[in-house]
Amino acid sequence: MKHIKKIGIAASMLLIALILAACGNIDNTTSVENGANEQDSVQTTGQTSKDDYAGVIKNGHYLVSKARGLTAARNSNNFNITSFEAGLLDISKGYYKPADYIFQEGQYLSMDRVQSWLARQTKDNKNGLNPVDNGKKNNKRNPIYIQSIEEQDFMQKNGKKLSLKGMTIGIAMNPIDYYQKQQYGATFEQKIDHDAMVKYGQEAAAKIVQRIRKLKKIPSNMPIAIAMYEQAPNDSLVGGEYYAVTQTTGDKITKWDKMNIANKVFPLIGSATGYASNDNKNFQNFQSQVQHFFPTIAGLTAQAQYVNKKLAGEHITITTQFYSQTEIISFTNFLAQVAPKFTPSGVPVDITVNSATDIQAYLSRGADDRDFSSHVFGSY
Amino acid sequence: MKHIKKIGIAASMLLIALILAACGNIDNTTSVENGANEQDSVQTTGQTSKDDYAGVIKNGHYLVSKARGLTAARNSNNFNITSFEAGLLDISKGYYKPADYIFQEGQYLSMDRVQSWLARQTKDNKNGLNPVDNGKKNNKRNPIYIQSIEEQDFMQKNGKKLSLKGMTIGIAMNPIDYYQKQQYGATFEQKIDHDAMVKYGQEAAAKIVQRIRKLKKIPSNMPIAIAMYEQAPNDSLVGGEYYAVTQTTGDKITKWDKMNIANKVFPLIGSATGYASNDNKNFQNFQSQVQHFFPTIAGLTAQAQYVNKKLAGEHITITTQFYSQTEIISFTNFLAQVAPKFTPSGVPVDITVNSATDIQAYLSRGADDRDFSSHVFGSY
């Protein structure tokens, strides 16, 4: 029975692979360099636009990361997961152009390996990148500096083979370490000095590069990019920020490039000064336009991202209670009219409209657009 | 104190009204015919496209329905609410062109009035449109035929005034009446004969037209459109269907136009025959393409709408568990590649991608488009 089942699965995978291969844009290649089986069937998802990577489909399935789910499991703030992973992909695009490379979820650092790296150094775990437990249960304890490690692979086709041509490693550092003094006990916060965090991260990055170089399947001189990320606090309404990047073809990191990214949540709390204060004021004007549209007040917040102290984009979220579908439609029309006047131009802005339970409408404007396009989520 | 507060509110409303008026597309008119106060300040939301109505903003707020929330309160299936209300607006567009009319949520049928109409006829409630309680607690009871009544008003500007120029009334009929034999008791179903439902609805519609004609503020000979809707069962994954429409400028309804709308859920349950079977087969092909993309299976369903037995559009919903943001991005790229080949062309199709808790991505293609546009919901 077991054998029959296996054959059945293999046959259906082959069928899926064949169907996928029959699709115009789904590229078909027939073997893969790094797999156990040289005859594995590999396709890509195809590119949707020249700014997006094609991804790897193997035996009819998306090739998921060898350490799949580890970042999600180690983060209680979803904003950190999204900004760490999507931000890493954006950084990769600077090193490996989507037109020239195929994106592959990390295949060289296994779950076990990454877990041992993220653990503390102990007698049994010499590879632990976090410091030894000094036995302290207060601010004198050695904190967990490194929260997550993420690998992204960049492939090129050699004839019918996919070959590894580049790699990016994201390292998420803790500005605050959350810990329990006893299992299931209360959570305590240990602040980590910023300079100490940066220094610790650089040392860990150097070790990681050396270790990756020693892995069998890594081509010599293959470029490895490293991106350092500072986690946002667990209660933050926006994710953390990448603060340094580098790339090396050797086994040493010789210099780091600083990234000046800052994420803000509007309306700002307290007195707003500095480079974000004007955008915050504009947001508050938009807020006062919108929040009294219905008798029930609408809640508005925005995530704003600054690169080199210049606004790079805004995600606006509006939550309100709707009493009919026509209210949702009218509200969306209203937003499409007022948003161009009260939201920043020249950068991408999107607006998500939620009821208590669900998304109801979505509006967006690209950096070069004048008007918002809008969509009301409907059903028959 | 109370007076000061009122003045404060009035002042802030005026401020909002002034700000709104300052916006280019937010039309400003300064009095309204039907309101208590001839000097009320009225604007509209403006039109987003020529297919959308502008809506009425009064004193800085959206003018909500006088019977706001009644339809939602009387329906446990959200799909019915959406399709009843949005469907009514679409039907109205056939009678009152969005370019020529402004949409106003129903202002002439008050909450009390509609509630008394929806109640059973009793000695104290002679206006009840549902039948008298015959005391039976089984299938011999008189069922509740009419579940919801919705009013939509269509206005035109006369100089600076908004005048009522047309009205649409939606009447939602029950093919099944859900009832309790005792308060908080189990729910029983009473099936209602289709012909009896249609006949009962026509008689109720005639009474409603006569009653609206007698209301003071209704201009004589103003066209009133009536649209009859059959509710979907409470456990349906798609909303109900409009089955008849008419319009009258008098106080009688002389004829009804049948609407042949049918909503289906794919994959169809049981053996699929008839006009939807081919679309169902295509959907199942799409499903087999997509559901094994990840090791975790993805769930796919679709709502399809047929008008005169021809496919008019599909809403596809995909739910799966994602383990990283890059998986969501790759999955969306994959969908954008395969969807054009496996979803019907020539009709609008949209695809919503959900995780267990949230929407993650959205893809759509208009009736005339070749490619899907896609959006991955992101955050900083």
Side-chain angles (χ1 to χ4, degrees), chain A residues 19-20 25 45 47-48 53 61-62 68 79 82 85 105 238-239 289 292-294 303 313 315 323-327 330 333 337 362 375 377 379-380, chain B residues 19-20 25 45 47-48 53 61-62 68 79 82 85 105 238-239 289 292-294 303 313 315 323-327 330 333 337 362 375 377 379-380:
Chain A
I19 295 170
L20 285 172
N25 277 311
T45 59
Q47 273 182 285
T48 306
Y53 287 110
H61 300 291
Y62 182 64
R68 188 186 197 206
F79 293 122
T82 304
E85 296 183 326
E105 305 262 351
V238 69
Q289 284 296 304
H292 295 293
F293 186 75
F294 291 117
Q303 294 182 334
H315 296 302
Y323 287 86
S324 74
Q325 189 67 15
T326 47
E327 289 185 1
S330 291
N333 284 347
Q337 296 293 330
Y362 171 76
H375 174 74
F377 288 86
S379 74
Y380 293 126
Chain B
I19 295 170
L20 285 172
N25 278 312
T45 58
Q47 273 181 285
T48 306
Y53 287 110
H61 300 291
Y62 182 63
R68 188 187 197 206
F79 293 122
T82 304
E85 296 183 327
E105 304 261 352
V238 68
Q289 284 296 304
H292 295 294
F293 186 75
F294 291 116
Q303 295 182 333
H315 296 302
Y323 287 86
S324 74
Q325 189 67 13
T326 47
E327 289 185 1
S330 291
N333 284 346
Q337 296 293 331
Y362 171 76
H375 174 74
F377 288 86
S379 74
Y380 293 126

Coordinates of all heavy atoms in Angstrom, one line a residue, chain A residues 19-20 25 45 47-48 53 61-62 68 79 82 85 105 238-239 289 292-294 303 313 315 323-327 330 333 337 362 375 377 379-380, chain B residues 19-20 25 45 47-48 53 61-62 68 79 82 85 105 238-239 289 292-294 303 313 315 323-327 330 333 337 362 375 377 379-380:
Chain A
I19 N 1.9 20.0 -16.4 CA 0.9 21.1 -16.6 C 1.5 22.4 -16.5 O 1.4 23.3 -17.3 CB -0.3 21.0 -15.7 CG1 -1.1 19.7 -15.9 CG2 -1.3 22.1 -15.8 CD1 -2.1 19.3 -14.9
L20 N 2.3 22.6 -15.4 CA 3.0 23.9 -15.2 C 3.9 24.2 -16.4 O 4.0 25.3 -16.8 CB 3.9 23.8 -13.9 CG 3.1 23.9 -12.6 CD1 4.0 23.6 -11.4 CD2 2.4 25.2 -12.5
N25 N 4.6 31.1 -19.4 CA 5.6 31.8 -18.7 C 6.3 30.9 -17.6 O 7.2 31.4 -16.9 CB 5.0 33.0 -18.0 CG 5.0 34.2 -19.0 OD1 5.9 34.5 -19.7 ND2 3.8 34.8 -19.1
T45 N 8.4 30.3 -11.0 CA 7.0 30.9 -11.0 C 6.9 31.8 -12.2 O 5.7 32.2 -12.5 CB 6.8 31.7 -9.7 OG1 7.8 32.7 -9.6 CG2 6.8 30.8 -8.5
Q47 N 8.2 35.7 -13.9 CA 8.3 37.0 -13.3 C 7.0 37.8 -13.6 O 6.5 37.7 -14.8 CB 9.4 37.8 -14.0 CG 10.7 37.7 -13.4 CD 11.7 38.6 -14.1 OE1 12.1 38.3 -15.2 NE2 12.0 39.7 -13.5
T48 N 6.4 38.4 -12.6 CA 5.2 39.2 -12.9 C 5.5 40.5 -13.5 O 4.9 41.1 -14.4 CB 4.4 39.4 -11.6 OG1 4.2 38.1 -11.0 CG2 3.1 40.1 -11.8
Y53 N 11.2 39.0 -8.6 CA 11.9 37.8 -8.9 C 11.0 36.6 -9.3 O 9.9 36.5 -8.8 CB 12.7 37.3 -7.6 CG 13.9 38.1 -7.2 CD1 13.8 38.8 -6.1 CD2 15.0 38.0 -8.0 CE1 15.0 39.6 -5.7 CE2 16.2 38.8 -7.6 CZ 16.1 39.5 -6.4 OH 17.2 40.2 -6.0
H61 N 6.1 21.7 -6.5 CA 5.8 22.5 -5.3 C 6.8 23.7 -5.3 O 7.9 23.6 -5.8 CB 6.0 21.7 -4.1 CG 5.1 20.5 -4.0 ND1 3.8 20.6 -3.8 CD2 5.4 19.2 -4.1 CE1 3.2 19.4 -3.8 NE2 4.2 18.5 -4.0
Y62 N 6.3 24.7 -4.6 CA 7.3 25.8 -4.3 C 8.3 25.3 -3.4 O 8.1 24.6 -2.4 CB 6.5 27.0 -3.6 CG 7.3 28.2 -3.3 CD1 7.9 28.9 -4.4 CD2 7.5 28.6 -2.0 CE1 8.6 30.1 -4.1 CE2 8.2 29.7 -1.7 CZ 8.8 30.5 -2.8 OH 9.5 31.6 -2.5
R68 N 12.2 26.8 7.3 CA 10.9 27.4 7.1 C 10.2 27.7 8.5 O 10.1 26.7 9.3 CB 10.0 26.5 6.3 CG 8.7 27.1 5.9 CD 7.8 26.1 5.1 NE 6.7 26.8 4.4 CZ 5.6 26.2 4.2 NH1 5.3 25.0 4.5 NH2 4.7 26.9 3.5
F79 N 4.7 42.6 12.5 CA 5.4 43.7 11.7 C 6.8 43.4 11.5 O 7.4 43.7 10.5 CB 5.1 45.1 12.3 CG 3.7 45.5 12.3 CD1 3.0 45.8 13.5 CD2 3.0 45.6 11.2 CE1 1.7 46.2 13.5 CE2 1.6 46.0 11.2 CZ 1.0 46.3 12.4
T82 N 7.3 40.7 8.7 CA 7.1 41.3 7.3 C 8.2 42.2 6.9 O 8.7 42.0 5.8 CB 5.7 42.0 7.3 OG1 4.7 41.2 7.7 CG2 5.5 42.5 5.9
E85 N 11.6 40.2 6.4 CA 11.7 39.3 5.2 C 11.5 40.1 3.9 O 12.3 39.8 3.0 CB 10.7 38.2 5.4 CG 11.0 37.3 6.6 CD 10.1 36.1 6.7 OE1 8.9 36.2 6.4 OE2 10.6 35.1 7.2
E105 N 14.2 30.3 -1.9 CA 14.2 30.4 -0.4 C 15.4 29.6 0.1 O 15.8 28.6 -0.5 CB 12.9 29.7 0.1 CG 11.6 30.3 -0.4 CD 11.0 31.3 0.5 OE1 11.4 31.5 1.7 OE2 10.0 32.0 0.1
V238 N 4.7 49.2 14.0 CA 5.5 49.2 12.7 C 6.7 48.3 12.9 O 7.2 48.2 14.1 CB 5.9 50.7 12.3 CG1 6.9 51.3 13.2 CG2 6.3 50.7 10.8
G239 N 7.2 47.8 11.9 CA 8.3 46.8 12.0 C 9.7 47.6 12.2 O 9.7 48.8 12.3
Q289 N -10.3 65.1 8.4 CA -11.3 65.0 7.2 C -12.1 63.7 7.3 O -13.3 63.8 6.9 CB -10.5 64.9 5.9 CG -9.8 66.1 5.4 CD -10.9 67.2 5.1 OE1 -11.8 66.9 4.3 NE2 -10.8 68.3 5.8
H292 N -14.8 61.8 11.0 CA -16.1 62.1 11.3 C -17.1 61.9 10.2 O -18.2 62.4 10.2 CB -16.2 63.6 11.9 CG -15.5 63.8 13.1 ND1 -15.9 63.2 14.3 CD2 -14.4 64.5 13.4 CE1 -15.1 63.5 15.3 NE2 -14.2 64.3 14.8
F293 N -16.6 61.2 9.2 CA -17.5 61.0 8.0 C -18.8 60.3 8.4 O -19.9 60.6 7.9 CB -16.7 60.1 7.0 CG -17.4 60.0 5.6 CD1 -17.5 61.0 4.7 CD2 -18.0 58.7 5.3 CE1 -18.1 60.8 3.5 CE2 -18.6 58.6 4.1 CZ -18.7 59.6 3.2
F294 N -18.7 59.3 9.3 CA -19.8 58.6 9.8 C -20.1 59.0 11.2 O -19.2 59.5 11.9 CB -19.6 57.0 9.8 CG -19.5 56.4 8.5 CD1 -18.4 55.8 8.0 CD2 -20.6 56.4 7.6 CE1 -18.3 55.3 6.8 CE2 -20.6 55.9 6.4 CZ -19.4 55.3 5.9
Q303 N 1.6 54.0 8.9 CA 3.1 53.7 8.9 C 3.8 54.5 7.9 O 3.3 54.5 6.7 CB 3.3 52.2 8.6 CG 2.8 51.2 9.6 CD 3.1 49.8 9.2 OE1 3.3 49.5 8.0 NE2 3.2 48.9 10.1
G313 N 7.3 56.5 1.7 CA 6.0 55.9 1.5 C 5.2 55.8 2.8 O 5.7 56.0 3.9
H315 N 1.7 53.6 4.6 CA 0.6 52.7 4.6 C -0.4 53.2 5.6 O -0.1 53.3 6.8 CB 1.1 51.3 5.1 CG 2.0 50.6 4.2 ND1 1.8 50.3 2.9 CD2 3.3 50.1 4.5 CE1 2.8 49.7 2.4 NE2 3.7 49.5 3.3
Y323 N -22.5 50.1 8.4 CA -23.8 49.5 8.6 C -24.5 49.0 7.3 O -25.6 48.5 7.3 CB -24.8 50.5 9.3 CG -24.4 50.6 10.7 CD1 -23.4 51.5 11.2 CD2 -25.0 49.8 11.7 CE1 -23.1 51.6 12.5 CE2 -24.6 49.9 13.0 CZ -23.7 50.8 13.4 OH -23.3 50.8 14.7
S324 N -23.8 49.3 6.2 CA -24.3 48.8 4.9 C -23.2 48.8 3.8 O -22.2 49.5 4.0 CB -25.5 49.6 4.4 OG -25.1 50.8 3.9
Q325 N -23.5 48.0 2.8 CA -22.5 48.0 1.7 C -22.4 49.3 1.0 O -21.4 49.7 0.5 CB -22.9 46.9 0.7 CG -21.9 46.5 -0.4 CD -20.7 45.9 0.2 OE1 -20.6 45.5 1.3 NE2 -19.6 45.9 -0.6
T326 N -23.5 50.1 0.9 CA -23.5 51.4 0.2 C -22.7 52.4 1.0 O -22.1 53.2 0.4 CB -25.0 51.9 0.0 OG1 -25.7 51.8 1.3 CG2 -25.7 51.1 -1.1
E327 N -22.6 52.2 2.3 CA -21.7 53.1 3.1 C -20.3 52.8 2.8 O -19.5 53.8 2.7 CB -22.0 52.9 4.6 CG -23.3 53.4 5.1 CD -23.5 53.3 6.6 OE1 -22.5 52.8 7.3 OE2 -24.5 53.7 7.1
S330 N -19.6 54.4 -0.7 CA -19.6 55.9 -0.6 C -18.3 56.4 0.1 O -17.7 57.3 -0.3 CB -20.8 56.4 0.1 OG -22.0 56.3 -0.6
N333 N -15.4 56.1 -2.3 CA -15.4 57.2 -3.2 C -14.9 58.5 -2.6 O -14.2 59.2 -3.2 CB -16.8 57.4 -3.7 CG -17.3 56.4 -4.7 OD1 -16.4 55.7 -5.3 ND2 -18.5 56.3 -5.0
Q337 N -11.4 60.8 -3.3 CA -11.5 62.3 -3.6 C -10.6 63.1 -2.7 O -9.9 64.0 -3.1 CB -12.9 62.8 -3.5 CG -13.9 62.2 -4.5 CD -13.6 62.6 -5.9 OE1 -13.1 63.7 -6.1 NE2 -13.9 61.8 -6.8
Y362 N -9.7 49.0 -0.5 CA -8.2 49.2 -0.6 C -8.0 50.3 -1.7 O -8.6 50.2 -2.8 CB -7.5 47.9 -1.0 CG -6.1 48.1 -1.3 CD1 -5.2 48.3 -0.3 CD2 -5.7 48.1 -2.7 CE1 -3.8 48.5 -0.7 CE2 -4.3 48.3 -3.0 CZ -3.4 48.5 -2.0 OH -2.1 48.7 -2.3
H375 N -10.5 49.9 -4.8 CA -11.3 48.6 -4.9 C -12.1 48.4 -3.7 O -11.6 48.4 -2.6 CB -10.3 47.5 -5.2 CG -11.0 46.1 -5.2 ND1 -11.7 45.7 -6.3 CD2 -11.1 45.2 -4.3 CE1 -12.2 44.6 -6.0 NE2 -11.9 44.2 -4.8
F377 N -14.1 45.5 -1.8 CA -14.2 44.0 -1.8 C -15.6 43.7 -1.8 O -16.4 44.1 -0.9 CB -13.4 43.4 -0.6 CG -11.9 43.5 -0.8 CD1 -11.3 44.7 -0.4 CD2 -11.2 42.5 -1.4 CE1 -9.9 44.8 -0.6 CE2 -9.9 42.6 -1.6 CZ -9.2 43.8 -1.2
S379 N -18.9 40.7 -3.0 CA -19.2 39.3 -3.2 C -20.6 39.2 -3.9 O -21.3 40.2 -3.9 CB -19.3 38.6 -1.8 OG -20.4 38.9 -1.1
Y380 N -20.8 38.1 -4.5 CA -22.1 37.9 -5.1 C -23.2 37.4 -4.1 O -22.8 36.8 -3.2 CB -22.0 36.9 -6.3 CG -21.1 37.4 -7.4 CD1 -20.1 36.7 -7.9 CD2 -21.4 38.6 -8.0 CE1 -19.3 37.1 -8.9 CE2 -20.6 39.1 -9.0 CZ -19.5 38.4 -9.5 OH -18.7 38.8 -10.5
Chain B
I19 N -13.8 73.0 5.1 CA -12.6 72.3 4.6 C -13.0 71.4 3.4 O -12.4 71.4 2.4 CB -11.9 71.4 5.7 CG1 -11.4 72.3 6.8 CG2 -10.8 70.6 5.1 CD1 -10.9 71.6 8.0
L20 N -14.1 70.7 3.6 CA -14.6 69.8 2.5 C -14.9 70.6 1.3 O -14.6 70.3 0.1 CB -15.9 69.1 2.9 CG -15.6 67.9 3.9 CD1 -17.0 67.4 4.4 CD2 -14.8 66.8 3.2
N25 N -13.1 68.6 -5.8 CA -14.2 67.8 -6.3 C -15.3 67.6 -5.4 O -16.3 67.0 -5.7 CB -13.6 66.4 -6.7 CG -13.0 66.4 -8.0 OD1 -13.5 66.8 -9.0 ND2 -11.8 65.8 -8.1
T45 N -19.9 63.5 -2.1 CA -18.5 62.9 -2.0 C -17.8 63.1 -3.3 O -16.6 62.8 -3.3 CB -18.7 61.4 -1.8 OG1 -19.4 60.8 -2.8 CG2 -19.3 61.1 -0.5
Q47 N -17.7 62.1 -7.6 CA -17.7 60.8 -8.3 C -16.2 60.3 -8.5 O -15.4 61.1 -9.0 CB -18.3 61.0 -9.7 CG -19.8 60.8 -9.8 CD -20.2 61.0 -11.2 OE1 -20.2 62.1 -11.7 NE2 -20.5 59.9 -11.9
T48 N -16.0 59.1 -8.2 CA -14.6 58.5 -8.5 C -14.5 58.1 -10.0 O -13.5 58.3 -10.6 CB -14.4 57.3 -7.6 OG1 -14.6 57.6 -6.3 CG2 -13.0 56.8 -7.8
Y53 N -21.8 56.5 -8.2 CA -22.6 57.7 -7.8 C -21.7 58.6 -6.8 O -21.0 58.1 -6.0 CB -23.8 57.2 -7.0 CG -24.9 56.6 -7.8 CD1 -25.2 55.3 -7.7 CD2 -25.7 57.4 -8.6 CE1 -26.2 54.7 -8.4 CE2 -26.7 56.8 -9.3 CZ -27.0 55.5 -9.2 OH -28.0 54.9 -10.0
H61 N -21.0 65.4 7.6 CA -21.1 63.9 7.8 C -21.7 63.3 6.6 O -22.6 63.9 6.0 CB -21.9 63.5 9.0 CG -21.3 64.1 10.3 ND1 -20.1 63.6 10.8 CD2 -21.7 65.1 11.1 CE1 -19.9 64.3 11.9 NE2 -20.8 65.2 12.1
Y62 N -21.4 62.0 6.4 CA -22.2 61.2 5.4 C -23.6 61.1 5.9 O -23.8 60.8 7.0 CB -21.5 59.9 5.2 CG -22.2 59.0 4.2 CD1 -22.2 59.4 2.8 CD2 -22.7 57.8 4.5 CE1 -22.7 58.5 1.9 CE2 -23.3 57.0 3.6 CZ -23.3 57.3 2.2 OH -23.9 56.5 1.3
R68 N -30.9 52.9 9.2 CA -29.5 52.4 9.2 C -29.3 51.2 10.1 O -29.7 51.1 11.2 CB -28.6 53.5 9.7 CG -27.1 53.2 9.6 CD -26.2 54.2 10.2 NE -24.8 54.1 9.7 CZ -23.8 54.4 10.4 NH1 -23.9 54.9 11.6 NH2 -22.6 54.3 9.9
F79 N -23.3 37.5 3.3 CA -23.3 37.5 1.9 C -24.6 38.0 1.4 O -24.7 38.7 0.4 CB -23.1 36.1 1.3 CG -21.7 35.5 1.5 CD1 -21.5 34.3 2.2 CD2 -20.6 36.2 1.1 CE1 -20.2 33.8 2.5 CE2 -19.3 35.7 1.3 CZ -19.1 34.5 2.0
T82 N -24.5 42.0 1.6 CA -23.7 42.6 0.6 C -24.4 42.5 -0.8 O -24.5 43.5 -1.5 CB -22.3 41.9 0.5 OG1 -21.7 41.9 1.7 CG2 -21.4 42.5 -0.6
E85 N -27.6 44.8 -0.9 CA -27.4 46.2 -0.9 C -26.6 46.7 -2.1 O -27.0 47.7 -2.8 CB -26.8 46.7 0.4 CG -27.7 46.4 1.6 CD -27.1 46.9 2.9 OE1 -25.9 46.9 3.1 OE2 -27.9 47.3 3.7
E105 N -28.6 57.8 0.8 CA -29.1 56.7 1.6 C -30.6 57.0 2.0 O -30.9 58.2 2.2 CB -28.3 56.4 2.9 CG -26.8 56.2 2.6 CD -26.4 54.8 2.6 OE1 -27.2 53.9 3.0 OE2 -25.2 54.5 2.3
V238 N -22.6 32.1 -0.7 CA -22.8 33.1 -1.7 C -24.2 33.8 -1.4 O -25.0 33.1 -0.8 CB -22.7 32.6 -3.1 CG1 -23.9 31.7 -3.5 CG2 -22.6 33.7 -4.2
G239 N -24.3 35.1 -1.7 CA -25.6 35.7 -1.4 C -26.7 35.3 -2.3 O -26.6 34.5 -3.2
Q289 N -4.0 23.2 -9.9 CA -2.7 23.9 -10.1 C -2.2 24.6 -8.8 O -1.0 24.6 -8.6 CB -3.0 25.1 -11.1 CG -3.1 24.8 -12.5 CD -1.9 24.2 -13.0 OE1 -0.8 24.8 -13.0 NE2 -2.0 22.9 -13.5
H292 N -1.5 22.6 -4.3 CA -0.3 21.9 -3.9 C 1.0 22.7 -4.0 O 2.1 22.2 -4.0 CB -0.2 20.6 -4.6 CG -1.3 19.6 -4.3 ND1 -1.4 19.1 -3.1 CD2 -2.3 19.2 -5.1 CE1 -2.5 18.3 -3.1 NE2 -3.0 18.3 -4.3
F293 N 0.8 24.0 -4.2 CA 2.0 24.9 -4.4 C 2.9 24.8 -3.2 O 4.1 24.8 -3.2 CB 1.5 26.3 -4.7 CG 2.6 27.3 -5.0 CD1 3.2 27.3 -6.2 CD2 3.0 28.2 -4.1 CE1 4.2 28.2 -6.6 CE2 4.0 29.1 -4.4 CZ 4.6 29.1 -5.6
F294 N 2.2 24.9 -2.0 CA 3.0 24.7 -0.7 C 2.8 23.3 -0.2 O 1.8 22.7 -0.5 CB 2.5 25.7 0.3 CG 2.8 27.2 0.0 CD1 1.8 28.1 -0.3 CD2 4.1 27.6 -0.1 CE1 2.1 29.4 -0.6 CE2 4.5 28.9 -0.4 CZ 3.5 29.8 -0.6
Q303 N -17.0 32.2 -5.9 CA -18.4 32.6 -6.2 C -18.5 33.0 -7.6 O -17.7 33.7 -8.1 CB -18.8 33.8 -5.4 CG -18.8 33.7 -3.9 CD -19.2 35.0 -3.2 OE1 -19.0 36.1 -3.7 NE2 -19.8 34.9 -2.0
G313 N -19.0 36.8 -13.9 CA -17.8 37.2 -13.1 C -17.6 36.1 -12.0 O -18.5 35.3 -11.7
H315 N -15.5 35.6 -8.1 CA -14.7 36.0 -7.0 C -14.1 34.7 -6.4 O -14.8 33.9 -5.9 CB -15.5 36.6 -5.8 CG -16.2 37.9 -6.2 ND1 -15.5 39.0 -6.6 CD2 -17.5 38.3 -6.2 CE1 -16.4 40.0 -6.8 NE2 -17.6 39.6 -6.6
Y323 N 4.5 30.8 5.8 CA 5.5 30.8 6.8 C 6.5 32.0 6.6 O 7.3 32.1 7.5 CB 6.2 29.5 6.8 CG 5.3 28.4 7.4 CD1 4.5 27.7 6.6 CD2 5.4 28.1 8.8 CE1 3.7 26.7 7.1 CE2 4.6 27.1 9.3 CZ 3.7 26.4 8.5 OH 2.9 25.5 9.0
S324 N 6.3 32.7 5.6 CA 7.2 33.9 5.4 C 6.6 34.8 4.4 O 5.8 34.5 3.6 CB 8.6 33.5 5.0 OG 8.6 33.1 3.7
Q325 N 7.1 36.1 4.5 CA 6.6 37.1 3.5 C 7.0 36.8 2.1 O 6.3 37.1 1.2 CB 7.1 38.5 4.0 CG 6.6 39.7 3.3 CD 5.1 39.9 3.5 OE1 4.5 39.3 4.5 NE2 4.5 40.7 2.7
T326 N 8.2 36.2 2.0 CA 8.7 35.8 0.6 C 7.8 34.7 0.0 O 7.6 34.7 -1.2 CB 10.1 35.4 0.7 OG1 10.3 34.4 1.7 CG2 11.1 36.5 0.9
E327 N 7.2 33.9 0.8 CA 6.3 32.9 0.3 C 5.0 33.6 -0.3 O 4.5 33.2 -1.3 CB 5.9 31.9 1.4 CG 7.0 30.9 1.8 CD 6.5 29.8 2.8 OE1 5.3 29.8 3.1 OE2 7.4 29.0 3.2
S330 N 6.0 35.2 -3.6 CA 6.2 34.2 -4.7 C 4.9 33.6 -5.1 O 4.6 33.3 -6.3 CB 7.1 33.1 -4.2 OG 8.4 33.5 -4.1
N333 N 3.0 36.0 -7.3 CA 3.6 36.0 -8.7 C 3.2 34.8 -9.4 O 2.8 34.8 -10.6 CB 5.2 36.0 -8.6 CG 5.7 37.3 -8.2 OD1 5.0 38.3 -8.3 ND2 7.0 37.4 -7.9
Q337 N 0.7 34.4 -12.9 CA 1.1 33.7 -14.1 C 0.1 32.6 -14.5 O -0.2 32.5 -15.7 CB 2.5 33.0 -13.9 CG 3.6 33.9 -13.6 CD 4.0 34.8 -14.8 OE1 3.8 34.3 -16.0 NE2 4.5 35.9 -14.6
Y362 N -4.1 40.4 -3.3 CA -5.3 40.6 -4.0 C -4.9 40.7 -5.5 O -4.0 41.4 -5.8 CB -6.0 41.8 -3.5 CG -7.2 42.2 -4.4 CD1 -8.4 41.5 -4.4 CD2 -7.1 43.2 -5.3 CE1 -9.4 41.8 -5.2 CE2 -8.1 43.6 -6.1 CZ -9.3 42.9 -6.1 OH -10.3 43.2 -6.9
H375 N -1.5 42.8 -6.0 CA -1.0 43.6 -4.9 C -0.8 42.7 -3.7 O -1.7 41.9 -3.3 CB -2.0 44.7 -4.5 CG -1.6 45.4 -3.3 ND1 -0.6 46.4 -3.3 CD2 -2.1 45.4 -2.0 CE1 -0.5 46.9 -2.1 NE2 -1.3 46.3 -1.3
F377 N -0.2 42.8 0.2 CA -0.4 43.8 1.3 C 0.9 43.8 2.2 O 1.3 42.7 2.7 CB -1.6 43.4 2.2 CG -2.9 43.7 1.5 CD1 -3.4 42.8 0.6 CD2 -3.5 45.0 1.6 CE1 -4.6 43.1 -0.1 CE2 -4.6 45.3 0.9 CZ -5.2 44.4 0.1
S379 N 3.8 46.0 4.9 CA 3.9 46.9 6.0 C 5.3 47.3 6.2 O 6.2 46.5 5.7 CB 3.3 46.4 7.3 OG 4.1 45.4 7.9
Y380 N 5.6 48.4 6.8 CA 7.0 48.8 7.0 C 7.5 48.2 8.3 O 6.7 48.0 9.2 CB 7.2 50.3 7.1 CG 6.9 51.0 5.7 CD1 5.9 52.0 5.6 CD2 7.6 50.6 4.6 CE1 5.7 52.6 4.4 CE2 7.3 51.2 3.4 CZ 6.4 52.2 3.3 OH 6.1 52.7 2.1

